[in-house]
Amino acid sequence: MKFNPKLENFKPYVPVTENYKIRLDANESCFNVNRRFLSKFRKEISRLDFNRYPDPTCAALREAFGKCFRVRPEQVVCGNGSDELLNLIAETFASKGDRVVTFAQDFSMYAFYSRLMECDVLELEKREDLTVDVEEAISACREGNARLLFLSNPCNPTSLVLDRKQVNKLVSSVPDTLVVLDEAYMDFSSESYLGELKKHDNLIVLKTLSKAFGMAAIRLGFAVTSTEIAGLLNTTRSPYNVNALTQIAGRLALSSRAAMEGRAEELTDSKTDLFNGLKKIEEISKGDFAPVDGETNFVYVRTSKVRQIDAYLRKRGISVRAFDGYLRITAGTDEENAELLQCLDEAAGILWIE
Ligand SMILES: *Cc1c(COP(=O)(O)O)cnc(C)c1O
């Protein structure tokens, strides 16, 4: 059997799958849902018609999202995680050979789904200080007639944020490119561009419940955009893409923005503690272990010792995410952070002192 040749050099996304005692590799929230949520969720699923298909329009869920983030429900499309929406956006708006622009140090799934559509993917490098060169991105979109531009803001993995002014410049300067602004971590920052959506007809903002809301298990993401683009995504998505259990859990989680904001604040405090602890390792390493000061629930660290540190931590039951020349460490509970920092301190004694 001969398969589509596009699959020949296709590499799967490989998350950490082994079991570690302390999991700081996937940017999940370290807080599980609370008892109040669980009791409401139980009550609702005890009344659920399991024999019926879920609401294909996710009406109540979009209503709850709209209230929570002050957008109109008609502007919202729900997905089985924002991952499904990334795939749907590539399928819907790009064809074989189309130019798609993204960044080398950004979420790898942008290039992944675009390559699956056989697009011509251009991955721009970040600057030396890991910031986005907005002018370069504008030129790349204009010159290449780019169909799509993907970026995360704040960025995974760099943790850095582009302010609204720069985002406005970027989106306004490429009217023929559909800009996908992935705000998966924006609950940890204050530069959300959701409020400016109406200024543009070439913009999709993505949100997810997987991070600050602490609900990665239910797989729920949102595309917020013009009613025209939302309409197009609604014609191309599969009809029952968000299951009934997820619709219920998502609606309950979105009913209290204050609760999410409280947890986001706790996670930000945990990240600040982690960052301060990592700065002490930086001193021991004489600069070969340099944490980035960002606005997410994780810390990105530049180091020449990625392999050694990753191996040392794994042996001690701690998983972090390893990249070329960088480690990405999710903020955990106080105990998890303390254990991680203790292990890093030991590793630093071996790597940089002896
Ligand atoms: C975690 C993450 C998401 C969320 O994906 P889901 O499929 O909603 O879990 C999206 N974008 C980025 C950049 C992320 O880091």
Side-chain angles (χ1 to χ4, degrees):
M1 169 79 205
K2 250 192 144 57
F3 295 106
N4 190 330
K6 75 179 177 183
L7 298 170
E8 272 161 28
N9 292 310
F10 214 79
K11 293 201 186 66
Y13 179 77
V14 194
V16 175
T17 51
E18 303 95 322
N19 257 325
Y20 290 94
K21 188 177 55 165
I22 297 181
R23 299 212 44 169
L24 307 176
D25 59 88
N27 295 345
E28 295 147 334
S29 170
C30 56
F31 303 121
N32 201 347
V33 296
N34 60 29
R35 282 206 198 138
R36 260 189 53 168
F37 171 89
L38 275 181
S39 100
K40 285 193 208 161
F41 183 63
R42 271 199 208 100
K43 207 179 275 170
E44 292 219 20
I45 59 172
S46 68
R47 291 196 298 252
L48 178 66
D49 292 325
F50 278 84
N51 55 324
R52 301 292 176 192
Y53 281 105
D55 172 11
T57 70
C58 294
L61 180 57
R62 287 185 299 112
E63 184 83 25
F65 182 93
K67 276 215 180 88
C68 189
F69 288 102
R70 297 200 188 88
V71 293
R72 285 181 296 127
E74 308 85 75
Q75 296 177 273
V76 182
V77 180
C78 308
N80 185 20
S82 10
D83 252 298
E84 185 198 16
L85 295 168
L86 290 169
N87 192 6
L88 179 67
I89 289 164
E91 277 176 346
T92 304
F93 295 106
S95 303
K96 183 173 179 170
D98 282 350
R99 170 53 61 88
V100 173
V101 178
T102 179
F103 295 88
Q105 291 190 73
D106 206 330
F107 194 40
S108 61
M109 300 313 285
Y110 308 148
F112 178 97
Y113 292 123
S114 303
R115 292 206 171 101
L116 198 52
M117 288 304 298
E118 299 180 79
C119 294
D120 174 18
V121 180
L122 176 64
E123 291 179 279
L124 299 173
E125 294 293 329
K126 295 275 169 87
R127 293 200 189 100
E128 183 68 24
D129 65 359
L130 300 177
T131 55
V132 170
D133 186 337
V134 170
E135 294 292 347
E136 186 194 19
I138 292 169
S139 311
C141 289
R142 286 184 178 165
E143 283 158 23
N145 248 327
R147 190 71 86 171
L148 288 166
L149 165 67
F150 287 100
L151 74 160
S152 54
N153 193 41
C155 172
N156 173 12
T158 70
S159 73
L160 298 178
V161 71
L162 269 181
D163 62 33
R164 271 189 290 274
K165 221 172 117 194
Q166 293 187 80
V167 172
N168 182 54
K169 179 169 187 196
L170 180 58
V171 183
S172 311
S173 304
V174 295
D176 299 322
T177 300
L178 181 55
V179 179
V180 182
L181 185 66
D182 183 349
E183 294 195 351
Y185 300 93
M186 195 50 90
D187 304 311
F188 305 110
S189 181
S190 55
E191 293 296 330
S192 180
Y193 205 68
L194 264 185
E196 327 269 326
L197 258 175
K198 53 185 165 307
K199 286 201 232 157
H200 308 279
D201 61 6
N202 63 325
L203 177 63
I204 300 176
V205 177
L206 294 179
K207 300 281 298 176
T208 178
L209 293 203
S210 298
K211 306 289 156 56
F213 280 88
M215 304 200 84
I218 69 169
R219 313 299 303 122
L220 183 56
F222 302 89
V224 195
T225 182
S226 67
T227 46
E228 185 186 13
I229 293 173
L232 292 168
L233 290 171
N234 275 323
T235 58
T236 53
R237 71 175 168 81
S238 60
Y240 303 109
N241 61 328
V242 179
N243 74 70
L245 299 175
T246 293
Q247 290 192 37
I248 292 169
R251 179 165 47 73
L252 293 175
L254 287 162
S255 70
S256 171
R257 178 152 180 182
M260 179 279 286
E261 284 173 342
R263 284 195 304 272
E265 208 167 298
E266 283 188 65
L267 288 168
T268 301
D269 290 346
S270 159
K271 188 269 302 180
T272 303
D273 292 346
L274 174 63
F275 176 79
N276 292 335
L278 296 173
K279 288 297 271 186
K280 296 199 182 105
I281 310 291
E282 180 175 25
E283 283 170 35
I284 304 172
S285 75
K286 302 190 181 63
D288 186 24
F289 184 92
V292 176
D293 195 3
E295 301 188 25
T296 53
N297 65 330
F298 60 85
V299 183
Y300 199 44
V301 184
R302 184 175 44 75
T303 177
S304 69
K305 306 274 195 252
V306 167
R307 261 183 324 107
Q308 294 93 321
I309 296 170
D310 188 39
Y312 191 89
L313 292 176
R314 280 170 192 251
K315 244 188 289 169
R316 301 285 302 268
I318 302 175
S319 60
V320 298
R321 189 74 201 269
F323 293 93
D324 228 16
Y326 292 88
L327 290 168
R328 193 194 65 197
I329 308 174
T330 309
T333 60
D334 291 348
E335 295 74 25
E336 289 172 332
N337 290 345
E339 195 163 334
L340 168 88
L341 289 167
Q342 168 67 31
C343 287
L344 282 173
D345 189 60
E346 289 163 21
I350 300 165
L351 291 169
W352 289 293
I353 294 175
E354 278 170 12

